[in-house]
């Protein structure tokens, strides 16, 4: 475990341990060798004393001999002889075997036996010489005769120089041993210190290098972190449990929050100035939940009240701006304990606005589709009337709003601040309400529910204003905005009506196809149409074929069958004269030589009749009709330019307008289709035209049952 | 088989949860339309799991969670509520609910949420 905990410091600890080991080894060796040298100093001293004692023993032995020979009493010669002999013997024994002896100062000292073989050799030699001497010396007493004394003196004289030499050798040898040890001590000290120094240098270089590497890595990491924090588009920071912002945060955070100094700032204080009280309270609860409660991260994320928060931010002096921010919180844990929250802040204003715009577009599209469905159900004339009335009504409302505002500001008086007495403005509100209510009623009656709803909202706004005790111009702002929206809605409907009309104008609108019955093609009225068509075609140098499917026209009420017959005859004439090309021209266009006239007639359950007439000729020339209308004075050049194609085509039903240049028996006088129009008007029906240049012209006529009951006369 | 108590003031929601979690293999031990009923049924049945609406008459979900936890600290509670009010949701989690499911939810949302609740319980 200790090994693991050393971690990156393992090497330095081992190196220091080695350093200490070297130092301790040197210290121990130093102590041991110093102790030995100290012992050796004693030995040198005692060895030197042995030299001196060998001389003293000889000298005192001679003095004892003289005293006895001269018959003089002993002084202290004999005592001194004995003492010197004893000390010499003790010391010699202590040198060779170890043991106690007396030091120069008279103290008892303990000597270890000399281990050196050379010194032991000297000691053995000395012992050999000394043993007979000490034996003789011990026998010398106060009553010794001259013989004994002389014998001892001779022995001493004989051994004196040898003993002196041996003790001198011993001293030299002991000095040599001490000197060797001193040398060894120096060697140990130098080696130890050298090793320790080398170790120290290694440590120094190793760790300087390591420190440099660490510094570089640290600097690199620091730079990377700084780069990330500087370049990230999001706000990044740490929150401590006290909800204080950490010292390191991304640069973007300042601009996102609009705060210059954030390190150490209180996060709640920052929120307090930028969100409403409810959000602030919820945010506090949420942070508390994150920090102090063991709730799963995924779960806690789902209730983040700052996931999308609208904030009023200071984007410069005096420039508060509403932004949408997203705060994401992640717990930072250490050993299972939450130490911080990592907070990521993103400015999602653009995304939110796009989402809002998309939603508004979707709502609008949904509303427009609904509106479109409503429009196509409404009688075109009634719709037209309503749209005009609604536009006029809105103009009135706008006028009222403008009138009440102008005297104050001359421009947008709705923004004026001072309140006016309720009476003036309340009557205005009532007037506005009446207008709105009327249009709403009309819209509802026509089944235009989405438009009725929009006017209802305007009513709601006005109702709120009615409830207010006093009104300022600013209170009318929402009304103005709503009115503007209604104008746009009316305009949208008008545009839609035009688009629908255009679609109706160009699309082939087939009548409900009756069951094919080959017998109907042989009916007498069909045959009459064929004869009629062939006559006209012959006069105009082309050929036609008529195909018919549908009911037996003869079975219709008389007035209606007559009207149908007249209309078909007019269409046949019109098609052959204006539509069907010459045989050559048709061949050149890749069409069958004979022009085809297709007629379908069906009757609905309510008794109304659907009539479809289609030729595959050149279609209607809008430009020719336009030119004719100008030439006949029906339209001015400006009107002719302003009118759309559909409206121009409609002119063919007016008397005096024809797309055919020449006047002949069949066409060109501008009469014919106007008769069709007259019949349709009488029957309260309608006509739709579809045409494509060089391909076809298609009339679809609806004759309504109301007129059938009335039974108007056919032309 | 784990026992479930369904607490919601909407009959439709109760039925939906019961149908879905019955199929999931839980024993529907009780259904309550407010907090007081929930407490009474919980005392009688000692369920392992509770789905809890927050906005209810008589005793709201938060109070009920608190009371249930006092009776049985180990009961697993899944709050099933509209997330319009995040403050209430936070409060519910603080009071000891272990899961949160936002209305409206699909059957798979519900089984996933209850599955997590049960697996957390098994891991504890």
């Amino acid at each position: 475990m200790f090994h693991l905990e050393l971690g990156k410091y393992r090497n330095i600890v081992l190196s220091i341990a080695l350093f200490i080991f070297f130092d301790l080894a040197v210290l121990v060796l130093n102590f041991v060798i110093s102790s030995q040298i100290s012992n050796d100093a004693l030995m040198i001293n005692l060895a030197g004393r042995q030299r001196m004692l060998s001389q003293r023993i000889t000298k005192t032995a001679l003095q004892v001999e003289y005293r006895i020979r001269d018959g003089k009493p002993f002084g202290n010669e004999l005592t001194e002889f004995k003492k010197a002999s004893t000390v010499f013997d003790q010391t010699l024994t202590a040198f060779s075997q170890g043991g106690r002896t007396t030091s120069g100062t008279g103290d008892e000292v303990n000597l270890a036996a000399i281990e050196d073989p050379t010194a032991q050799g000297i000691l053995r030699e000395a012992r050999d010489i000394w043993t007979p001497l000490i034996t003789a010396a011990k026998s010398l007493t106060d009553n010794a005769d001259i013989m004994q004394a002389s014998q001892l003196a001779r022995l001493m004289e004989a051994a004196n120089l040898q003993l002196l030499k041996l003790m001198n050798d011993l001293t030299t040898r002991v000095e040599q041993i001490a000197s060797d040890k001193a040398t060894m001590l120096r060697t140990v000290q130098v080696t130890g210190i050298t090793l320790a120094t080398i170790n120290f240098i290694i440590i120094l270089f190793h760790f300087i290098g390591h420190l440099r590497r660490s510094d570089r890595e640290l600097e690199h990491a620091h730079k990377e972190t700084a780069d990330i924090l500087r370049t990230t588009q999001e706000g990044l920071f740490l929150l401590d449990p006290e909800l204080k912002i950490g010292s390191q945060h991304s640069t973007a955070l300042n601009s996102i929050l609009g705060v210059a100094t954030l390190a150490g700032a209180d996060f709640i204080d920052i929120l307090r100035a930028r969100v409403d009280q409810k959000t602030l309270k919820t945010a506090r609860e949420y942070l508390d939940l994150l920090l102090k409660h063991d709730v799963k991260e995924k779960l806690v994320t789902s209730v983040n009240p700052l996931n999308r928060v609208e904030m009023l931010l200071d984007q410069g002096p005096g420039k508060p701006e509403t932004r949408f921010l997203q705060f994401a919180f992640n717990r930072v844990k250490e050993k299972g304990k939450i130490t911080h929250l990592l907070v990521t802040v993103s400015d999602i204003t653009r995304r939110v606005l796009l989402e809002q715009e998309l939603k508004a577009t979707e709502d609008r599209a949904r509303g427009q589709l609904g509106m479109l469905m409503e429009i196509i159900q409404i009688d075109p004339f009634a719709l037209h009337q309503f749209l005009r009335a609604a536009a006029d009504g809105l103009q009135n409302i706008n006028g009222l709003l403008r009138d009440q505002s102008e005297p104050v500001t001359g421009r947008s008086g709705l923004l004026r601040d001072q309140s006016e007495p309720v009476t003036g403005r309340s009557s205005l509100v009532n007037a506005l309400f009446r207008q709105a209510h009327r249009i709403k009623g009309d819209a509802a009656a026509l089944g235009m529910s989405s438009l009725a709803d929009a006017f209802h909202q305007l009513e709601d706004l006005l109702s709120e204003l009615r409830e207010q005790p006093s009104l300022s111009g600013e209170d009318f702002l929402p009304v103005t905005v709503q009115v503007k929206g209604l104008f746009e809605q009316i305009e949208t409907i008008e545009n839609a009506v035009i688009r629908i009309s255009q679609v109706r104008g160009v699309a082939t609108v087939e009548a409900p196809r009756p069951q094919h019955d080959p017998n109907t093609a042989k009916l007498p009225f069909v045959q009459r149409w064929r004869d009629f068509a062939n006559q006209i075609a012959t006069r105009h140098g082309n050929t036609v074929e008529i195909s018919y499917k549908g009911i037996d026209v003869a079975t219709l009420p008389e007035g209606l069958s007559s009207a149908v017959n007249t209309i078909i005859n007019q269409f046949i004439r019109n098609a052959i004269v204006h539509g069907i090309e010459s045989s050559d021209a048709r061949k050149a266009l890749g069409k069958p030589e004979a022009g085809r006239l297709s007629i379908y007639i069906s009757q609905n359950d309510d008794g109304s009749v659907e009539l479809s007439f289609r030729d595959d000729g050149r279609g209607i020339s809008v430009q020719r009709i336009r030119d004719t209308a100008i030439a006949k004075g029906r339209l001015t050049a400006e009107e002719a330019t302003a009118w759309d194609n559909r409206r121009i085509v409609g002119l063919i039903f007016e008397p005096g307008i024809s797309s055919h240049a020449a006047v002949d028996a069949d066409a060109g006088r501008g009469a014919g289709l106007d008769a069709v129009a007259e019949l349709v008007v009488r029957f309260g029906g309608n006509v739709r035209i579809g045409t494509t240049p060089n391909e076809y012209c298609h009339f679809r006529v609806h004759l309504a049952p109301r007129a059938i009951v009335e039974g108007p006369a056919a032309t | 088989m784990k026992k479930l108590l369904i607490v919601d003031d909407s009959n439709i929601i109760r039925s939906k949860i019961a149908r879905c979690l019955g199929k999931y293999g839980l024993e529907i031990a009780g259904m309550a339309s407010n907090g007081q009923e929930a407490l009474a049924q919980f005392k009688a049945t000692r369920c392992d799991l509770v789905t809890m609406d927050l906005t209810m008459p008589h005793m709201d979900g938060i109070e009920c969670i608190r009371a249930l936890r006092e009776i049985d600290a180990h009961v697993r509670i899944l709050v099933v509520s509209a997330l319009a009010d995040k403050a209430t949701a936070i409060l519910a989690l603080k009071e000891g609910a272990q899961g949160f499911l936002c209305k409206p939810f699909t059957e798979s949302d519900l089984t996933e949420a209850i599955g997590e609740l049960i697996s957390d319980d098994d891991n504890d």
Side-chain angles (χ1 to χ4, degrees):
Chain A
M1 183 180 285
F2 180 70
H3 171 76
L4 287 174
E5 285 179 0
L6 284 178
K8 61 183 180 180
Y9 301 110
R10 184 168 172 267
N11 286 340
I12 193 168
V13 170
L14 287 177
S15 301
I16 290 170
L18 200 60
F19 181 79
I20 292 169
F21 171 75
F22 284 139
D23 282 353
L24 279 177
V26 169
L27 191 67
V28 169
L29 282 172
N30 206 14
F31 180 78
V32 170
I33 296 169
S34 298
S35 301
Q36 287 180 356
I37 288 174
S38 170
N39 197 40
D40 288 347
L42 179 65
M43 283 191 173
I44 291 166
N45 181 275
L46 293 179
R49 191 182 66 179
Q50 289 294 78
R51 279 189 311 198
M52 180 274 286
L53 286 175
S54 68
Q55 297 311 300
R56 180 175 288 177
I57 290 164
T58 305
K59 181 186 147 191
T60 49
L62 289 173
Q63 282 176 337
V64 168
E65 184 193 4
Y66 294 151
R67 288 280 178 190
I68 294 171
R69 186 178 289 151
D70 295 342
K72 292 180 181 174
F74 291 126
N76 59 355
E77 291 83 4
L78 185 61
T79 308
E80 201 172 325
F81 172 78
K82 292 261 182 201
K83 187 180 172 188
S85 300
T86 304
V87 171
F88 186 88
D89 186 65
Q90 274 180 347
T91 306
L92 197 62
T93 304
F95 273 133
S96 58
Q97 296 167 15
R100 303 190 72 80
T101 186
T102 310
S103 73
T105 56
D107 299 329
E108 284 264 311
V109 289
N110 201 20
L111 277 187
I114 292 175
E115 290 173 1
D116 180 63
T118 307
Q120 280 293 346
I122 293 169
L123 287 170
R124 273 196 302 277
E125 207 176 331
R127 173 60 63 189
D128 290 344
I129 295 168
W130 175 251
T131 301
L133 292 179
I134 189 64
T135 307
K138 281 179 180 171
S139 63
L140 191 66
T141 61
D142 292 344
N143 301 320
D145 58 16
I146 188 68
M147 283 295 289
Q148 280 179 303
S150 294
Q151 189 185 355
L152 183 64
R154 296 297 81 77
L155 281 172
M156 285 297 172
E157 277 176 342
N160 173 34
L161 289 177
Q162 272 185 294
L163 274 179
L164 180 64
K165 180 182 176 300
L166 284 170
M167 289 305 104
N168 201 39
D169 289 346
L170 179 67
T171 306
T172 307
R173 184 61 200 162
V174 172
E175 280 175 351
Q176 183 61 46
I177 289 167
S179 172
D180 288 348
K181 283 183 180 170
T183 304
M184 191 173 77
L185 181 61
R186 277 195 299 276
T187 307
V188 166
Q189 283 177 336
V190 169
T191 307
I193 293 299
T194 305
L195 285 173
T197 307
I198 290 169
N199 186 27
F200 180 75
I201 291 168
I202 289 171
I203 292 171
L204 202 65
F205 277 96
H206 175 75
F207 286 101
I208 283 175
H210 187 73
L211 275 175
R212 276 186 186 158
R213 272 200 306 281
S214 296
D215 284 351
R216 272 200 302 274
E217 284 168 10
L218 198 65
E219 199 177 330
H220 187 63
H222 184 72
K223 189 175 178 306
E224 279 182 346
T225 308
D227 286 348
I228 290 169
L229 291 178
R230 196 180 65 249
T231 52
T232 184
Q233 299 291 309
E234 292 168 324
L236 285 175
F237 63 95
L238 287 171
L239 262 189
D240 67 14
E242 304 299 316
L243 303 182
K244 295 271 190 289
I245 294 176
S247 60
Q248 301 293 310
H249 59 79
S250 64
T251 311
L253 186 65
N254 297 91
S255 57
I256 290 174
L257 294 177
V259 179
T261 309
L262 284 163
D266 190 312
F267 183 57
I268 293 296
D269 284 346
I270 287 175
L271 285 182
R272 184 176 288 117
R274 291 162 181 82
V275 299
D276 58 69
Q277 279 303 309
K278 185 171 183 294
T279 307
L280 180 70
K281 185 169 178 290
T282 313
R284 287 180 105 131
E285 293 287 338
Y286 179 69
L287 292 170
D288 188 58
L289 179 73
L290 272 171
L291 286 165
K292 296 179 187 163
H293 294 259
D294 185 23
V295 180
K296 282 194 292 182
E297 195 104 19
K298 182 183 161 194
L299 196 60
V300 90
T301 303
S302 69
V303 294
N304 178 4
L306 301 177
N307 185 44
R308 176 171 162 163
V309 62
E310 192 174 354
M311 283 194 168
L312 193 63
L313 300 174
D314 190 5
Q315 298 294 320
K319 286 199 297 182
E321 191 182 336
T322 299
R323 311 288 292 174
F324 290 91
L325 300 187
Q326 182 176 53
F327 290 79
F329 299 88
N330 292 91
R331 290 161 166 155
V332 181
K333 290 184 179 177
E334 212 169 279
K335 293 178 183 167
K337 196 179 164 201
I338 300 167
T339 56
H340 288 88
L341 295 176
L342 172 66
V343 189
T344 313
V345 196
S346 316
D347 187 338
I348 54 166
T349 307
R350 192 173 149 73
R351 194 178 86 200
V352 170
L353 292 180
L354 279 173
E355 282 172 5
Q356 287 176 348
E357 200 177 315
L358 185 66
K359 188 176 180 307
T361 306
E362 283 174 357
D363 289 347
R364 245 190 336 266
R366 206 175 295 121
Q368 283 178 352
L369 184 65
M371 195 185 290
L372 212 60
M373 295 305 291
E374 289 167 1
I375 290 167
I376 58 177
Q377 309 287 331
I378 302 168
D379 177 78
F381 181 73
L383 178 63
H384 178 75
Q385 295 284 89
F386 166 75
L387 290 175
R388 288 274 57 80
D392 291 346
L394 284 173
Q395 286 290 3
N396 285 342
I397 290 173
N398 215 24
L400 287 168
L401 288 168
R402 198 169 44 241
D403 289 347
Q404 70 85 38
S405 68
E406 272 173 355
V408 178
T409 65
R411 189 166 57 91
S412 178
L414 293 177
L415 296 174
R416 65 185 171 182
D417 292 322
Q418 68 269 41
S419 295
E420 282 192 357
V422 174
T423 49
R425 285 209 160 114
S426 68
S427 59
L428 167 70
V429 172
N430 287 334
L432 294 172
F433 194 90
R434 280 193 298 278
Q435 291 277 0
H437 189 69
R438 181 180 58 74
I439 306 171
K440 183 186 114 174
D442 291 348
L446 286 175
M448 303 174 77
S449 57
S450 51
L451 191 65
D453 287 346
F455 273 96
H456 186 74
Q457 285 170 19
L458 179 61
E459 277 187 355
D460 287 345
L461 288 173
L462 292 166
S463 297
E464 283 175 23
L465 293 183
R466 271 176 168 171
E467 302 299 321
Q468 290 190 23
S470 67
L471 291 169
S472 70
E474 203 164 329
D475 295 328
F476 284 87
L477 263 182
V479 178
T480 313
V481 172
Q482 182 73 10
V483 168
K484 185 170 177 290
L486 285 165
F487 264 119
E488 286 168 4
Q489 220 164 327
I490 294 287
E491 193 181 337
T492 305
I493 295 170
E494 284 175 333
N495 288 335
V497 170
I498 291 169
R499 297 295 302 167
I500 291 169
S501 306
Q502 286 169 347
V503 171
R504 280 177 172 168
V506 298
T508 304
V509 188
E510 294 285 354
R513 287 201 173 204
Q515 288 292 316
H516 177 66
D517 179 359
N519 294 326
T520 56
K522 296 171 186 168
L523 289 168
F525 66 90
V526 179
Q527 195 51 50
R528 281 200 293 277
W529 290 340
R530 286 205 178 97
D531 293 343
F532 178 61
N534 286 336
Q535 283 171 23
I536 299 170
T538 306
R539 283 203 290 276
H540 286 270
N542 49 18
T543 54
V544 293
E545 288 174 1
I546 285 183
S547 66
Y548 176 72
K549 286 177 191 168
I551 57 167
D552 183 352
V553 176
T555 62
L556 292 171
E558 190 185 339
L560 189 55
S561 70
S562 173
V564 168
N565 199 40
T566 304
I567 291 168
I568 294 294
N569 280 337
Q570 292 302 342
F571 282 154
I572 290 171
R573 191 203 313 271
N574 183 67
I576 297 170
V577 174
H578 299 305
I580 303 299
E581 307 89 338
S582 67
S583 300
D584 291 342
R586 288 180 65 84
K587 269 195 265 184
L589 289 166
K591 293 181 179 180
E593 197 174 330
R596 287 179 179 168
L597 310 180
S598 309
I599 305 166
Y600 302 99
I601 297 173
S602 63
Q603 190 167 24
N604 298 323
D605 293 340
D606 61 1
S608 64
V609 172
E610 301 285 347
L611 186 156
S612 164
F613 183 95
R614 178 179 168 128
D615 70 67
D616 67 345
R618 58 173 69 90
I620 295 172
S621 168
V622 178
Q623 191 52 46
R624 181 166 289 172
I625 301 168
R626 193 174 259 124
D627 293 345
T628 307
I630 296 169
K632 298 267 183 187
R634 170 65 181 82
L635 295 179
T636 64
E638 291 74 25
E639 283 173 331
T641 311
W643 283 27
D644 61 26
N645 287 352
R646 180 179 168 274
R647 213 167 163 192
I648 294 288
V649 169
L651 289 173
I652 63 172
F653 292 104
E654 289 191 7
I657 303 293
S658 167
S659 63
H660 198 240
V663 175
D664 58 26
D666 300 316
R669 294 185 189 280
L673 289 181
D674 60 323
V676 172
E678 193 184 332
L679 275 172
V680 169
V681 170
R682 278 194 194 175
F683 277 86
N686 58 49
V687 182
R688 293 173 190 169
I689 309 170
T691 182
T692 298
N694 289 324
E695 287 188 16
Y696 71 91
C697 177
H698 186 185
F699 293 96
R700 185 183 166 185
V701 178
H702 174 80
L703 298 175
R706 176 174 58 82
I708 296 165
V709 174
E710 289 170 4
T715 325
Chain B
M1 185 185 276
K2 287 192 185 290
K3 292 197 286 183
L4 173 73
L5 173 63
I6 301 168
V7 189
D8 202 301
D9 62 348
S10 159
N11 185 31
I12 297 168
I13 299 285
R14 286 200 303 274
S15 305
K16 182 176 176 180
I17 294 173
R19 195 171 54 249
C20 175
L21 295 183
K23 278 192 291 184
Y24 187 72
L26 296 180
E27 180 193 337
I28 312 300
M31 290 204 259
S33 62
N34 62 54
Q36 285 171 354
E37 276 181 33
L39 282 184
Q41 293 204 22
F42 185 76
K43 283 173 189 163
T45 57
R46 286 301 172 122
C47 294
D48 309 291
L49 306 165
V50 178
T51 68
M52 177 70 68
D53 187 16
L54 289 183
T55 315
M56 291 182 297
H58 306 308
M59 179 191 269
D60 68 24
I62 300 291
E63 265 185 89
C64 190
I65 291 171
R66 206 175 290 143
L68 288 178
R69 301 280 296 176
E70 276 176 21
I71 297 168
D72 180 0
H74 300 292
V75 64
R76 312 293 292 182
I77 301 168
L78 174 69
V79 170
V80 181
S81 180
L83 199 57
D85 186 5
K86 286 186 177 175
T88 314
I90 291 167
L91 198 56
L93 295 175
K94 278 186 163 183
E95 288 298 339
Q98 291 87 0
F100 199 100
L101 180 62
C102 189
K103 287 181 188 172
F105 55 85
T106 63
E107 284 199 9
S108 61
D109 293 337
L110 180 62
T111 50
E112 191 183 334
I114 214 85
E116 280 186 21
L117 208 67
I118 292 170
S119 69
D120 288 348
D121 192 17
D122 293 342
N123 292 336
D124 284 351

